[in-house]
Amino acid sequence: MIVIAQLSDVHLDGGPRAAERTRAVVEYLDALPYDLAAVLVSGDIADHAEPAEYEEARKLLTSRHPVVICPGNHDERLAFRRGMLGEEEPSAGPVDQVLRGEGFVLAVCDSSVPGEHHGYLEDSTLAWLDGVLTDTPHEVPVLVAFHHPPVPLHTPYVDGIRQFGEERLAALAGRHPHLRAFLCGHAHTAAATTFAGRPLLVAPGVVSTLRLPWEAQSGPDHHVHLDEPPAVAFHVLGDDGRLTTHYRVVVARR
C-alpha cells in the first residue's frame, strides 16, 4: 500500500495564522505511525512571493517524509527556485519535478503563468511529462500533479483562473494508459471529478476554504471561510492498483 499525502495553498505571509495552520498539518503528518511515500504541496506557497516568505516555508514544510513542492499562481519562479530549491542562479523556466518512488512515480508540473493567476502547461512541460511517462514502465502507476485544475469545478471564482489549454494535456494522457490520476490544488476545497478519463483529485486549502456558490455569502467578496480548519488529502494506491482518496481535517493551534 502506497500512501501520498497532499496539502495545498498554505499562502505563508509572515503572519501567525498561515504559519500555525501549516505547522499543524505538517506536525500531524509527522506524527503518523506510518511512513508516507511522499508529501505533495501543490502550490501557492508564499502569498506575495517574498524571500522571507519562502524562508519561512522552507522551515515549515520540512517533514520526516519525502516532500515535493510546486509553485502556484501566488508564487514567482525565480524566487521559488532560490527560496525552496536553493538555486543560486535560477532559471526562469517551469519548475517541473519528478519523484520516482517504490512502485509509483509522481510527476509534478508547473502550471503557473508568470504575472498571471490562471494556469497553463508550457510546451516544454508537456514534452518533459511525455518523457517521464515514456521512460516509466507501463506496470508502474504515474500520478501527475500541478496547481491549477484543468476543468471547471462549478466555482466561478476559481473557474475563471483555472488551467487552460487542457486539450493538449488530455491528448498526452491518451497516449499513456499508466497515467493513473491527476492531483491539483488552487480551489481551496476538497473535490473529486474526472479529466481525460482519469480521476482529478483536488486538495483542500490550508489557509482557507472556498465557499461554494450555493452556500450563504454576505456579498460578492465573501467567497472564503476563514474559520474552517485546514485539511489534507491522502491518496492510497492499493496492491490491486486501485486509487482511493481520503480527506482529513486538522485542528490548528490558535
Side-chain angles (χ1 to χ4, degrees):
M1 185 174 66
I2 296 165
V3 183
I4 297 172
Q6 183 186 1
L7 59 143
S8 195
D9 296 271
V10 296
H11 287 265
L12 294 165
D13 58 2
R17 183 179 179 279
E20 288 170 3
R21 292 166 76 92
T22 302
R23 184 179 297 108
V25 171
V26 175
E27 287 179 351
Y28 165 69
L29 297 177
D30 279 351
L32 293 173
Y34 188 88
D35 293 333
L36 300 172
V39 175
L40 167 67
V41 189
S42 52
D44 279 359
I45 309 306
D47 200 39
H48 307 98
E50 295 291 339
E53 294 172 342
Y54 288 117
E55 182 178 356
E56 180 180 40
R58 192 172 60 250
K59 295 174 181 177
L60 288 173
L61 296 174
T62 298
S63 173
R64 71 179 185 85
H65 311 289
V67 178
V68 184
I69 304 171
C70 74
N73 55 293
H74 277 252
D75 295 299
E76 194 275 327
R77 286 177 181 171
L78 292 177
F80 181 95
R81 286 181 178 275
R82 289 191 189 98
M84 302 307 300
L85 304 182
E87 297 182 10
E88 294 183 0
E89 297 182 3
S91 160
V95 185
D96 301 319
Q97 305 163 83
V98 62
L99 173 64
R100 297 186 180 275
E102 185 174 348
F104 77 100
V105 169
L106 177 61
V108 183
C109 304
D110 184 354
S111 63
S112 68
V113 177
E116 303 290 342
H117 284 294
H118 70 276
Y120 185 86
L121 295 180
E122 294 187 13
D123 290 343
S124 62
T125 292
L126 290 175
W128 170 84
L129 178 58
D130 192 39
V132 170
L133 289 158
T134 299
D135 293 343
T136 302
H138 279 195
E139 65 270 17
V140 178
V142 179
L143 303 178
V144 174
F146 32 66
H147 182 64
H148 300 77
V151 295
L153 299 177
H154 308 287
T155 54
Y157 180 74
V158 173
D159 291 346
I161 51 173
R162 68 175 179 89
Q163 182 185 147
F164 296 101
E166 70 276 9
E167 68 281 353
R168 300 148 55 247
L169 177 60
L172 185 154
R175 301 194 297 271
H176 298 286
H178 57 316
L179 195 170
R180 191 61 53 82
F182 298 96
L183 314 176
C184 68
H186 191 49
H188 290 236
T189 186
T193 184
T194 59
F195 171 71
R198 275 83 163 178
L200 172 65
L201 303 164
V202 186
V206 169
V207 76
S208 63
T209 298
L210 184 74
R211 292 182 188 274
L212 299 172
W214 47 90
E215 294 182 309
Q217 300 183 33
S218 61
D221 295 327
H222 194 214
H223 52 265
V224 294
H225 289 284
L226 295 177
D227 53 352
E228 294 291 325
V232 63
F234 290 108
H235 308 294
V236 185
L237 278 167
D239 295 337
D240 58 359
R242 187 163 53 88
L243 179 67
T244 303
T245 294
H246 300 273
Y247 294 100
R248 281 290 184 268
V249 298
V250 178
V251 177
R253 294 179 299 179
R254 293 289 182 179

